[in-house]
Amino acid sequence: MPESIQRTLILVKPDGVRRALVGEVIHRFEMKGYQIRGLKMMKLTREKAERHYAVHKGKAFYDELIEFITSGPLVAMVLEGPGAVAIARKVMGATRPHDAEIGTIRGDFANQTRQNIVHGSDSVESAQYEIPIYFEESDLV
Ligand code: DAT
Ligand code: MG
């Protein structure tokens, strides 16, 4: 059965921007066949960061996560294509560096959980929640 066409939110996080990995990250998703429907560089406000990561509020790493994601410019993009949500997560690699396979973005470029280069929505519902934090509908093509 063909994969359904989905949209997902991908971020090149501030560490990825600082390490000049923006082109590398975009390239990997383009090579996998996804289309870019929206793309922007921005510095996230604290309010938007808290909205994005509301599900993690109260966890031990939450304050550090908000601090990090607002620490410098990031690149946000909406990717579209077959199975985009789950397949983009495979391109990214696992959250924990010990689990992120070599060949994935995190597996190749990250060695810690906190600063792990890239974000991708973990479900269609999460994507629908996250995309409007970063993009107006009219920003998307
Ligand atoms: P993912 O980014 O793979 O979806 P997540 O949603 O569970 O992972 O967590 C969001 C981010 O929070 C993650 O990219 C890095 C940070 N994080 C998660 N678990 C952590 C931990 N145990 N210690 C420090 N940072 C953590
Ligand atoms: Mg997540």
Side-chain angles (χ1 to χ4, degrees):
M1 209 165 66
E3 300 292 329
S4 62
I5 304 295
Q6 299 171 339
R7 284 185 171 188
T8 191
L9 177 81
I10 299 293
L11 304 177
V12 185
K13 295 183 181 182
D15 59 328
V17 173
R18 280 192 284 268
R19 290 177 56 191
L21 291 169
V22 173
E24 174 74 30
V25 171
I26 292 175
H27 184 51
R28 289 183 178 219
F29 289 114
E30 285 193 307
M31 283 198 303
K32 190 70 182 169
Y34 292 111
Q35 288 188 305
I36 302 169
R37 295 298 187 197
L39 180 66
K40 72 164 80 148
M41 176 168 266
M42 60 196 282
K43 192 157 183 293
L44 205 60
T45 62
R46 204 179 169 84
E47 183 268 326
K48 281 181 189 270
E50 288 178 352
R51 196 136 52 94
H52 180 152
Y53 284 120
V55 39
H56 293 307
K57 195 169 167 68
K59 294 186 185 166
F61 60 86
Y62 175 78
D63 289 345
E64 196 176 81
L65 177 59
I66 298 298
E67 208 59 46
F68 165 58
I69 203 72
T70 57
S71 67
L74 55 73
V75 172
M77 69 194 101
V78 173
L79 298 184
E80 184 181 274
V85 170
I87 296 173
R89 298 276 301 183
K90 296 188 83 147
V91 174
M92 284 163 51
T95 310
R96 292 180 63 244
H98 287 88
D99 299 331
E101 302 287 351
I102 300 304
T104 65
I105 295 167
R106 287 170 169 172
D108 289 349
F109 300 113
N111 56 26
Q112 50 161 310
T113 308
R114 290 157 194 198
Q115 306 203 1
N116 55 13
I117 314 287
V118 67
H119 165 83
S121 308
D122 65 8
S123 66
V124 170
E125 294 69 33
S126 298
Q128 286 167 349
Y129 173 80
E130 292 168 3
I131 289 170
I133 299 173
Y134 294 83
F135 293 94
E136 309 273 339
E137 190 56 42
S138 58
D139 293 336
L140 303 175
V141 298

